Amino acid sequence: MTVLRESIILRRGLRVATAPLAVFSLYLLFAGHNRPGGGFAGGLVAGVAIALAWATEGEAGTRRLVAVRSTVLLGAGLAVALVTGFAGLVWGGAFLESAVWDLSLPLFGDVKLVSAIGFDIGVYLVVVGVATGLIRSLGAGSGEGPA
Amino acid sequence: MSWLLPAAVAVPLVGAALTLVVGRRLLPQRLIAGSSIAFLFGAAVTLLLAVEEGAPIVSQLGGWPAPAGISLVADRFSTFVLATSAGMLVAVFVYAIAQLGRDALDWWFHAKYLVLASGVALSLLTGDLFNLFVGFEVMLVASYVLLTVKTDRREIRATISYVVINLLASAFFLVLIAIVYGATGTLNLADLAGRVADLPTGVADAISLLMLAVFGIKAALFPLFMWLPDSYPTAPTPVTAIFAGLLTKVGMAIVIRTQTLLGPTDGPSTVLLWVAGATMVVGVLGAIAQNDIKRILSFHIVSQIGYMAMGLAFVTVAGVAASVLFLVNQVVVKTGLFLIAGIVEREQGTGALSRSGGMLQRRPVVAALFAPLALSIAGIPPFGGFVPKLGLVQAGLEADQGGIIAVSLAVSLLTLFSMTKIWSAAFWGDPVPEAGRAGPGMIGATALVVAAAIAVTFVAGPAMELSTSIATDLLSSDGYVSSVLEAAP
């Protein structure tokens, strides 16, 4: 990976690209209810950013983007997704049943908000956690220090 | 009450998530994992008591009515198997904490164990073919990781065959799902039961056979069992015990469910009879050739699966009832036998029979735990294994299947022989040097399992009644079908 690390184009390019990648991944997360996207696709795009950061800056790069242990992300994501499922039960519906709110917000206009977004956010966190964990543990063997 | 169904699946998963978040702190991990497993056990028992007298309890996920949405179904069969399995999960959890101790415990063992528990619950409770696939995968992914807890070359090799064969089975499962959906346009098991009858015979037979192959791999039926005796013994004892007790039995439970619901039910199944006989014989012959406790027991897993297939093959209420009781009894007995094998290994430093001896003299309590289970698995009265075996023989006589009865009795004798082999090598003779000592936690957890196995004898009457009503439900699936399809979302 030293070749990539010495590439100034990739280093500078990534500095610029990180923010758009993050925005795009969040867009996918929220667009996913009715259009292509969703927590899984959004999480993968975020994973791409993390992988590129590792390739250019090593472990320090992934830590700049994801400050916590990957298992915390995994656990938190799983918990968020399941708690969303239980919320349906608590409000008298079925497990995983989704509530729908039609809101009109300033700036955004009419927004259809579904509580299933909580589940998607959970999936997003799990995918980012898996990507981070994979990159850190696979990268750990390349002499870049501990995962 | 129907909220308990998704909760039984989701609470262990939430537990797994929380153990990951708390990180390496062992005490909170154990509290979270212990309470999640205990919840699963409580939920399963509550559901069993609730459905024992009444109709199945159905939960429609997301509020989507069947067959569009995914149904979770708790009927007598699924809750009986789940309650027993969850009880074993509790006992083995206690054993695992006691055995692995503070130093050796892999800190995310808890998360993997809970994910496995959730997969078992989902596989047993789901009423949807694709969701069943998900349940199996959740269970399998956890099992892949559990198998590689300690990794040396031999374990990796054994794990690879386990992973490859199960991935292959999963691929077949996907093909099966595609064919079923293509042929019928539904994956809801209750909805399928009505539609399979209208299919051309060829398609229906193909689906039934493919199901038998896919779930037969998971259940380790002949000739698809070869992955099992190779991979199970290499894992740490709690892992092997829970795999031996639960995984193949869950596979067999699904075979029973799908064959009775979707397979041909118009007479004894010749295919299943041959498969059952071959599974028994090959399994027990394999066991006799082994010289390591865990390897002997692993081959017996295969052999005993044959008995469950035998009862199912008769396609009579008596036969299926005996199969169900046999299955539930085996969940307990197999878990217990492997826990004892773990204790013997801990005390002697090896499971090889040639380097064992004197356990009876040194630890009579372990011998006292082993004896009832060994006699139970061989089907010696009055121990627990005798009741379902007697049921199988009676059902066989009623169905006029003398051949398979003769085979099953001969295999029982050989089973007794290989149990005697373990007994004479490991428990009799001069004690070998002590390598370690099993603590009270290990002994206590094992004693709990053995007590449950012995209790089967005392509740043989009610257990047989419950199994008979389960078999009646399974063979006339109207109750199951109507309660799933008519359940309010």
Side-chain angles (χ1 to χ4, degrees):
Chain A
M1 294 309 267
T2 44
V3 182
L4 283 180
R5 209 143 291 169
E6 282 158 12
S7 160
I8 190 128
I9 300 175
L10 190 61
R11 283 181 85 103
R12 290 296 115 195
L14 188 70
R15 285 278 175 185
V16 181
T18 307
L21 274 175
V23 172
F24 183 54
S25 105
L26 287 177
Y27 164 78
L28 285 177
L29 165 63
F30 288 104
H33 188 62
N34 289 328
R35 271 162 292 165
F40 190 79
L44 285 181
V45 171
V48 168
I50 296 163
L52 281 172
W54 185 85
T56 53
E57 296 171 59
E59 175 53 25
T62 67
R63 222 171 309 153
R64 182 167 60 81
L65 293 179
V66 181
V68 293
R69 272 186 293 119
S70 57
T71 47
V72 172
L73 277 181
L74 270 175
L78 197 54
V80 166
L82 290 162
V83 165
T84 317
F86 279 112
L89 276 177
V90 171
W91 267 274
F95 185 73
L96 282 174
E97 187 163 350
S98 181
V100 183
W101 299 283
D102 286 306
L103 307 171
S104 60
L105 298 174
L107 289 177
F108 289 96
D110 289 335
V111 176
K112 183 185 168 203
L113 191 63
V114 289
S115 67
I117 190 71
F119 188 82
D120 254 342
I121 291 174
V123 172
Y124 182 89
L125 290 177
V126 169
V127 175
V128 173
V130 168
T132 315
L134 281 180
I135 290 161
R136 281 185 183 159
S137 47
L138 289 179
S142 66
E144 289 295 323
Chain B
M1 185 67 82
S2 69
W3 66 273
L4 272 177
L5 284 119
V9 178
V11 165
L13 269 186
V14 174
L18 294 180
T19 58
L20 286 177
V21 175
V22 299
R24 289 169 195 271
R25 286 179 293 260
L26 270 184
L27 186 65
Q29 282 219 342
R30 285 177 183 171
L31 286 177
I32 293 166
S35 46
S36 312
I37 301 267
F39 174 86
L40 175 61
F41 182 52
V45 171
T46 313
L47 285 170
L48 174 61
L49 294 177
V51 297
E52 204 211 323
E53 291 301 322
I57 297 175
V58 180
S59 165
Q60 312 283 19
L61 291 188
W64 300 97
I70 292 168
S71 316
L72 295 182
V73 192
D75 64 352
R76 292 188 185 117
F77 180 52
S78 57
T79 51
F80 192 28
V81 180
L82 182 60
T84 320
S85 306
M88 294 305 108
L89 281 165
V90 173
V92 174
F93 182 69
V94 174
Y95 184 98
I97 289 179
Q99 187 204 19
L100 299 175
R102 185 166 283 275
D103 323 316
L105 191 64
D106 170 355
W107 73 272
W108 58 310
F109 167 80
H110 300 90
K112 296 178 280 189
Y113 194 72
L114 289 171
V115 171
L116 184 85
S118 170
V120 168
L122 183 60
S123 304
L124 288 173
L125 290 176
T126 186
D128 180 279
L129 203 55
F130 192 79
N131 207 231
L132 179 63
F133 177 77
V134 176
F136 266 138
E137 286 304 299
V138 170
M139 201 164 77
L140 283 173
V141 166
S143 73
Y144 297 153
V145 192
L146 277 169
L147 264 184
T148 47
V149 171
K150 14 167 234 182
T151 38
D152 57 28
R153 183 184 287 266
R154 198 167 65 96
E155 287 199 0
I156 293 286
R157 198 193 63 77
T159 312
I160 283 177
S161 63
Y162 177 80
V163 171
V164 168
I165 195 85
N166 277 297
L167 284 179
L168 195 70
S170 300
F172 279 133
F173 198 168
L174 276 182
V175 171
L176 167 72
I177 289 172
I179 294 179
V180 168
Y181 192 72
T184 63
T186 182
L187 290 175
N188 185 297
L189 288 176
D191 199 20
L192 269 175
R195 299 201 193 188
V196 166
D198 302 333
L199 288 176
T201 340
V203 181
D205 285 353
I207 289 176
S208 175
L209 261 183
L210 200 49
M211 277 191 309
L212 193 59
V214 168
F215 304 129
I217 293 179
K218 317 271 181 193
L221 282 172
F222 178 87
L224 308 165
F225 67 95
M226 64 292 179
W227 53 273
L228 189 148
D230 209 25
S231 55
Y232 277 20
T234 56
T237 303
V239 175
T240 316
I242 214 66
F243 282 18
L246 301 194
L247 295 194
T248 46
K249 311 303 178 292
V250 171
M252 198 58 213
I254 303 299
V255 170
I256 294 179
R257 165 78 77 204
T258 49
Q259 291 298 319
T260 51
L261 197 59
L262 309 176
T265 48
D266 46 358
S269 159
T270 321
V271 179
L272 258 178
L273 277 176
W274 279 100
V275 165
T279 310
M280 284 181 216
V281 172
V282 172
V284 84
L285 290 182
I288 285 174
Q290 301 302 316
N291 278 307
D292 178 281
I293 298 182
K294 278 187 179 168
R295 288 191 67 86
I296 293 178
L297 293 176
S298 294
F299 273 99
H300 277 301
I301 300 177
V302 177
S303 172
Q304 305 295 317
I305 288 285
Y307 285 90
M308 301 166 207
M310 167 181 164
L312 176 63
F314 298 149
V315 201
T316 59
V317 170
V320 176
S323 273
V324 170
L325 192 57
F326 198 97
L327 189 151
V328 170
N329 186 49
Q330 278 297 310
V331 169
V332 182
V333 171
K334 268 286 138 49
T335 310
L337 279 173
F338 273 95
L339 293 184
I340 293 169
I343 294 177
V344 173
E345 277 189 4
R346 162 68 68 97
E347 298 260 341
Q348 309 190 328
T350 173
L353 289 180
S354 54
R355 281 172 286 147
S356 306
M359 282 299 287
L360 179 62
Q361 197 177 332
R362 195 167 71 214
R363 295 299 296 270
V365 59
V366 180
L369 293 174
F370 179 75
L373 292 188
L375 294 172
S376 173
I377 193 181
I380 304 293
F383 296 98
F386 170 69
V387 184
K389 262 188 188 162
L390 180 67
L392 280 176
V393 170
Q394 280 175 340
L397 288 175
E398 278 167 29
D400 214 11
Q401 298 289 344
I404 192 80
I405 293 178
V407 172
S408 75
L409 292 179
V411 169
S412 285
L413 212 59
L414 292 173
T415 308
L416 185 61
F417 168 73
S418 72
M419 288 297 135
T420 325
K421 192 166 141 185
I422 297 182
W423 179 265
S424 62
F427 290 90
W428 278 347
D430 299 323
V432 295
E434 186 172 283
R437 199 159 176 87
M442 287 168 75
I443 304 280
T446 313
L448 226 61
V449 176
V450 174
I454 294 175
V456 175
T457 315
F458 294 102
V459 293
M464 201 64 217
E465 265 171 42
L466 177 60
S467 307
T468 308
S469 55
I470 286 173
T472 318
D473 288 353
L474 285 170
L475 286 174
S476 67
S477 46
D478 303 340
Y480 179 88
V481 171
S482 61
S483 43
V484 172
L485 294 182
E486 286 158 20

